[in-house]
Amino acid sequence: METLELDYEGIEQLPLKTFTEKAYLDYSMYVILDRALPHIGDGLKPVQRRIVYAMSELGLLASSKHKKSARTVGDVLGKFHPHGDSACYEAMVHLAQSFTTRYPLIDGQGNWGSPDDPKSFAAMRYTEARLAPYAEVLLAELGQGTVDWTANFDGTMDEPVLLPARLPNVLLNGAAGIAVGMATDIPPHNLREVAAAAILLLDKPKTTLDELCEIIQGPDFPTGAEIITPRAELVEAYKSGNGSVRMRACYEIENGEIIVTALPYQTSGGKVLEQIAAQMLAKKLPMVEDLRDESDHENPTRLVIVPRSNRVDVDALMSHLFSSTSLERTARINLNMIGLDGRPRTWNLLDILKEWLEFRKVTVTRRLEYRLDKVNRRLHLLDGLLIAYLNLDEVIHIIRTEDQPKAVLIKRFSLSEDQVNYILDTRLRQLARLEEMKIKGEQKELAVERDALKMTLGSSQRLKTLIKKEILADEETFGDERRSLLVERAAARVMDESTLVPTEPVTVVLSSNGWVRVAKGHDINPEDMSYKAGDGFLAAARGRSNQMAVFIDSFGKTYAVTAHTLPGARGQGEPLSGRLKPANGARFAGVMLGEPGDLYLLASDAGYGFVTKLEDTITRNKAGKSTLSVPKGCGVLPPVRVRSLKDDWIVAVTSEGYTLVIALEEVPQMSRGKGNKIINVPSARLKTREEYVVAIDCIQDGEKLTVYAGKKHKTMKADEVDEFAGERGRRGRKLPRGYQKVDRIEVLRKDEP
């Protein structure tokens, strides 16, 4: 078998690094210059420019009939833009959507999308389009020698490099795009403001950016929401070319209902309603009773929010919705565009207008020069035609008798070749009707126009005046009132969660195996509720549904969950371990519920404890917060609510019946730690778990104490309880024989029946 020898002679070889660098750089420059960024001259990206030009070539002007969008897209793809049809059609749709483009370039017929879903437009085979009247601003001077032309992608025809915009469209309609290594976010502006700023800069070239910002107050979005960004921030964004603008929906009160009439730019009303409905389902908006979308053709945005009653603070509610939904949102400002030198950069507002005015001056100059050339050529032809008219018989004789009448005419009457061609192309019947006065009249009119053109071209002041008049004319034709009002508003604030949920009495019940549920009311008996097999009642806490339920585990860690989010009491609840992340081996020991400032007594079965505020035990961390330090091998006792630091006494009972009553004031108030010794349990017995604190509670003077030991129980009156009073940290006295193996204790409180 023969071996093929490869010959690389004559083949260019490049290192892979060099090739990839060049290939990626070429691609980057293509995306930046020919796809993603607008040009400062006409404010359009290449695909937008080609769509507008192709439609003008198809005759789809504002005065013509609509034609199928597919025809336009086909022309654009086939002649100028060899890319995907869906991307091209989407770009076309954006130019037609009045809620996307401030001054639409295309007048669409059919389904062109909606503010709720801008991409819900029908396929291009169903929709029809023609150019909007505003497109005249870009196209009116196209055939007047104003711009350069270049070959299309296959070299079969020419296309304009730019469109001769009569207004700074890059600011009026804005742009958004992502290139390679750079992006652009140019917000739309009001035509009257931009025109006034351009005229001021024409009259006073030394105008400062601050003076321009007195005229151009800020962006002007098509949807008309309020702009609440402080003026200083907007001015800074215009100075640097980077920043942000914050938009807020507009609303009014109508028959007690809140009517949202304008949404921030590129915000879906349907999405806003979904966000509000989600909060209602999560019981976080009890003050809202109903939502409706009443938007139609007459009212493009009309979202109705129905408060539960006329006592609802509408301003506070809307402030919460502004902060928690898309009723308020921020848009970026990044004034990145391609300049007249063909290079992209970030511009400030003053430089943008200066650069565009330079573009406009060049465009108008080229237009005037083009017209002057046409006038001079016409005058030249009319001069020859007048000579032919005055010598009509001789001209006809030469044409009839000479073999080369062209050369003879040139020599006989001293005419140019163009003049002779024009004479020879003129029909005999037209020559017969020619009148000397008509020719001279046209010559006179053209001579006046020629002199005016020369004067304008020779005077920069006349050129500025002409540009100014044309800007004012376009402002009069296409200008409108500002839609996005600039308003100073206070920052939106989310309502405190405790004020958002219904406040009703509830009882949080915790089982021995760590299952939790919440029952409405305080009159239920948690011990009588049904529990799973092998499970039973452990602890309960009474409070309000808008309060935080705090659980403590056997390692002394506390966890917080909003009470109203817990499962109801109709079932058997759910395991807390599904919501929280306790350490391996940890078991939940108790629950607390109340106001942040409520006090609780926390203690371990080693006999140590302290008083803490409920707010000091709350954490958002699902893994919990180390609150009570528990000696090794010991456990945690259920927390006890403190009623009064001065009037409460602590009752501590060990598993061997030793009981001690001390003043609560002797125990420190701490946010975390081990606490002080309440009752003494010999360390040797504690280590072997022969004895430990089995129960702890708070009692006040005059209250009874019941001790449960197996099937027996003993209720002690106040004077009997007093017999166990002693100093903190002592051993205490033993309960009577038969009641020393204590299971639990219960205080019959004064405030309970």
Side-chain angles (χ1 to χ4, degrees):
M1 183 176 180
E2 295 183 4
T3 304
L4 287 174
E5 293 186 6
L6 296 176
D7 182 10
Y8 294 101
E9 186 177 351
I11 297 176
E12 181 183 3
Q13 297 186 50
L14 283 174
L16 183 61
K17 177 177 181 296
T18 306
F19 174 78
T20 51
E21 279 183 0
K22 183 179 184 303
Y24 192 69
L25 182 61
D26 290 346
Y27 167 73
S28 303
M29 293 306 296
Y30 167 76
V31 172
I32 292 169
L33 300 177
D34 289 333
R35 186 184 299 177
L37 299 190
H39 194 282
I40 203 166
D42 58 11
L44 299 177
K45 301 177 186 180
V47 65
Q48 297 171 331
R49 187 178 302 117
R50 287 162 175 165
I51 289 170
V52 173
Y53 175 64
M55 292 184 74
S56 70
E57 287 295 286
L58 282 170
L60 297 177
L61 303 178
S63 57
S64 66
K65 289 185 177 181
H66 294 81
K67 288 186 180 177
K68 287 290 184 184
S69 303
R71 184 168 181 184
T72 298
V73 173
D75 256 40
V76 173
L77 300 187
K79 294 179 179 178
F80 311 113
H81 198 71
H83 295 277
D85 60 338
S86 58
C88 178
Y89 180 50
E90 190 167 334
M92 183 178 172
V93 168
H94 287 167
L95 295 178
Q97 290 176 335
S98 59
F99 50 85
T100 300
T101 304
R102 181 64 177 85
Y103 298 98
L105 292 166
I106 294 175
D107 173 20
Q109 191 167 269
N111 176 13
W112 289 80
S114 67
D116 271 350
D117 186 5
K119 294 195 175 183
S120 62
F121 49 85
M124 58 184 172
R125 62 183 178 275
Y126 299 119
T127 60
E128 297 179 343
R130 66 183 177 189
L131 288 170
Y134 175 77
E136 179 190 339
V137 170
L138 302 174
L139 294 166
E141 301 173 358
L142 186 58
Q144 300 176 25
T146 48
V147 292
D148 294 328
W149 294 72
T150 185
N152 68 342
F153 65 91
D154 61 1
T156 57
M157 59 182 65
D158 289 337
E159 61 175 314
V161 175
L162 293 173
L163 296 181
R166 297 202 307 250
L167 291 171
N169 185 60
V170 71
L171 286 175
L172 301 183
N173 276 328
I178 300 173
V180 178
M182 61 178 63
T184 184
D185 287 284
I186 306 169
H189 292 78
N190 184 268
L191 192 153
R192 289 178 179 171
E193 292 180 7
V194 173
I199 289 170
L200 176 65
L201 201 55
L202 265 176
D203 291 338
K204 299 178 180 178
K206 292 185 179 180
T207 300
T208 64
L209 196 144
D210 289 322
E211 290 172 332
L212 282 183
C213 288
E214 292 293 328
I215 299 174
I216 300 179
Q217 298 285 320
D220 188 22
F221 295 98
T223 49
E226 293 179 346
I227 293 176
I228 62 171
T229 304
R231 174 172 168 74
E233 289 185 22
L234 286 174
V235 172
E236 184 58 36
Y238 284 135
K239 285 182 178 179
S240 64
N242 281 292
S244 62
V245 56
R246 195 153 191 81
M247 298 165 286
R248 179 178 289 185
C250 301
Y251 70 94
E252 55 192 39
I253 308 300
E254 188 178 297
N255 299 325
E257 298 177 336
I258 303 167
I259 313 296
V260 178
T261 56
L263 293 171
Y265 184 51
Q266 294 183 334
T267 296
S268 162
K271 182 180 178 182
V272 169
L273 291 179
E274 285 179 14
Q275 292 171 337
I276 300 174
Q279 292 190 42
M280 293 173 67
L281 288 173
K283 299 181 180 178
K284 291 184 178 180
L285 276 179
M287 64 285 291
V288 175
E289 183 177 18
D290 191 21
L291 292 175
R292 295 195 306 274
D293 186 354
E294 296 182 353
S295 305
D296 53 28
H297 289 293
E298 292 184 6
N299 303 288
T301 300
R302 184 178 169 85
L303 309 181
V304 183
I305 303 171
V306 184
R308 190 167 292 278
S309 72
N310 56 9
R311 295 188 301 274
V312 172
D313 186 340
V314 172
D315 291 336
L317 170 60
M318 291 306 295
S319 180
H320 169 78
L321 293 178
F322 289 141
S323 182
S324 60
T325 70
S326 297
L327 285 174
E328 181 177 315
R329 60 174 297 180
T330 300
R332 291 181 63 244
I333 296 177
N334 181 12
L335 305 180
N336 187 9
M337 62 195 80
I338 300 169
L340 297 182
D341 59 359
R343 297 186 177 188
R345 71 178 176 92
T346 301
W347 303 69
N348 63 45
L349 182 62
L350 180 62
D351 288 345
I352 290 173
L353 283 173
K354 280 184 176 178
E355 188 86 348
W356 182 82
L357 284 173
E358 188 62 35
F359 167 78
R360 185 62 187 153
K361 287 175 186 175
V362 172
T363 303
V364 173
T365 301
R366 292 180 63 168
R367 186 188 82 206
L368 296 178
E369 289 174 345
Y370 178 82
R371 178 58 185 166
L372 182 59
D373 287 343
K374 292 200 75 170
V375 168
N376 285 332
R377 175 172 169 76
R378 181 61 181 168
L379 282 170
H380 180 62
L381 296 177
L382 287 176
D383 288 342
L385 200 58
L386 185 59
I387 291 172
Y389 174 78
L390 295 175
N391 301 277
L392 185 59
D393 294 337
E394 188 178 354
V395 169
I396 294 173
H397 177 73
I398 292 172
I399 294 172
R400 290 184 62 189
T401 59
E402 296 293 336
D403 293 335
Q404 298 291 333
K406 188 173 182 181
V408 175
L409 287 173
I410 291 174
K411 185 176 180 181
R412 170 67 182 85
F413 299 108
S414 301
L415 300 174
S416 69
E417 189 172 346
D418 287 341
Q419 287 174 320
V420 172
N421 287 335
Y422 187 65
I423 293 169
L424 293 175
D425 290 340
T426 304
R427 293 181 180 179
L428 184 61
R429 63 181 180 182
Q430 290 174 318
L431 280 172
R433 290 202 310 270
L434 285 175
E435 299 175 12
E436 183 179 359
M437 293 302 295
K438 284 186 177 180
I439 296 173
K440 288 184 176 180
E442 186 179 356
Q443 282 180 322
K444 187 176 180 180
E445 289 177 5
L446 290 174
V448 171
E449 184 181 356
R450 177 192 61 198
D451 294 341
L453 288 169
K454 285 183 176 180
M455 289 178 66
T456 304
L457 286 168
S459 168
S460 60
Q461 188 56 46
R462 285 177 178 269
L463 189 66
K464 286 182 181 179
T465 303
L466 176 61
I467 294 172
K468 180 178 175 180
K469 286 181 179 178
E470 291 175 349
I471 291 175
L472 287 171
D474 287 330
E475 178 195 348
E476 181 67 26
T477 304
F478 303 108
D480 57 3
E481 294 295 328
R482 168 175 275 278
R483 296 182 190 175
S484 299
L485 299 179
L486 287 93
V487 187
E488 289 188 12
R489 300 286 189 193
R493 298 178 61 183
V494 176
M495 286 185 181
D496 182 64
E497 191 171 352
S498 61
T499 65
L500 286 173
V501 298
T503 173
E504 54 188 8
V506 293
T507 302
V508 176
V509 181
L510 180 66
S511 76
S512 300
N513 289 342
W515 284 60
V516 67
R517 51 191 145 165
V518 59
K520 292 183 179 179
H522 291 167
D523 55 352
I524 65 159
N525 186 353
E527 297 182 36
D528 293 341
M529 299 174 73
S530 64
Y531 295 88
K532 287 183 173 290
D535 199 2
F537 170 74
L538 175 65
R542 293 181 172 88
R544 311 292 295 182
S545 57
N546 61 344
Q547 295 172 337
M548 298 294 287
V550 181
F551 302 89
I552 188 167
D553 69 10
S554 54
F555 293 161
K557 282 190 170 186
T558 53
Y559 310 79
V561 179
T562 309
H564 76 91
T565 64
L566 296 171
R570 290 185 178 179
Q572 293 174 325
E574 65 179 42
L576 266 176
S577 56
R579 289 174 176 248
L580 308 173
K581 297 179 180 178
N584 290 335
R587 295 178 63 86
F588 289 99
V591 59
M592 298 172 276
L593 187 63
E595 296 296 329
D598 288 352
L599 298 176
Y600 272 86
L601 173 63
L602 302 183
S604 65
D605 63 13
Y608 291 85
F610 62 89
V611 174
T612 188
K613 286 184 179 179
L614 184 62
E615 63 185 350
D616 291 333
T617 66
I618 294 175
T619 176
R620 295 289 182 183
N621 190 349
K622 290 186 177 182
K625 172 184 179 181
S626 295
T627 302
L628 177 66
S629 298
V630 182
K632 188 176 181 180
C634 298
V636 174
L637 297 172
V640 179
R641 186 195 288 267
V642 173
R643 288 173 285 170
S644 170
L645 285 172
K646 291 184 178 181
D647 299 333
D648 279 11
W649 294 74
I650 299 176
V651 180
V653 183
T654 73
S655 56
E656 292 297 317
Y658 285 95
T659 305
L660 180 65
V661 177
I662 64 169
L664 180 68
E665 291 177 317
E666 295 187 46
V667 176
Q669 184 173 331
M670 305 164 60
S671 60
R672 57 183 295 178
K674 181 180 179 182
N676 286 5
K677 184 180 284 188
I678 297 173
I679 185 171
N680 183 30
V681 179
S683 57
R685 295 177 65 81
L686 189 63
K687 284 181 181 179
T688 58
R689 303 298 286 174
E690 292 179 53
E691 186 180 0
Y692 52 90
V693 178
V694 72
I696 197 165
D697 209 337
C698 287
I699 192 170
Q700 293 185 357
D701 291 342
E703 293 181 338
K704 297 178 181 180
L705 175 70
T706 301
V707 178
Y708 293 87
K711 295 182 179 181
K712 299 166 64 178
H713 69 274
K714 177 179 176 61
T715 300
M716 295 184 288
K717 296 181 180 179
D719 54 348
E720 294 178 89
V721 176
D722 291 343
E723 295 177 5
F724 294 91
E727 296 181 5
R728 182 184 63 77
R730 297 296 185 180
R731 184 79 167 117
R733 292 178 55 193
K734 267 202 168 189
L735 289 167
R737 188 180 297 276
Y739 298 99
Q740 294 174 354
K741 299 295 181 182
V742 178
D743 296 321
R744 61 187 179 91
I745 62 175
E746 185 178 314
V747 175
L748 183 59
R749 302 177 186 269
K750 296 175 184 177
D751 54 358
E752 294 177 354

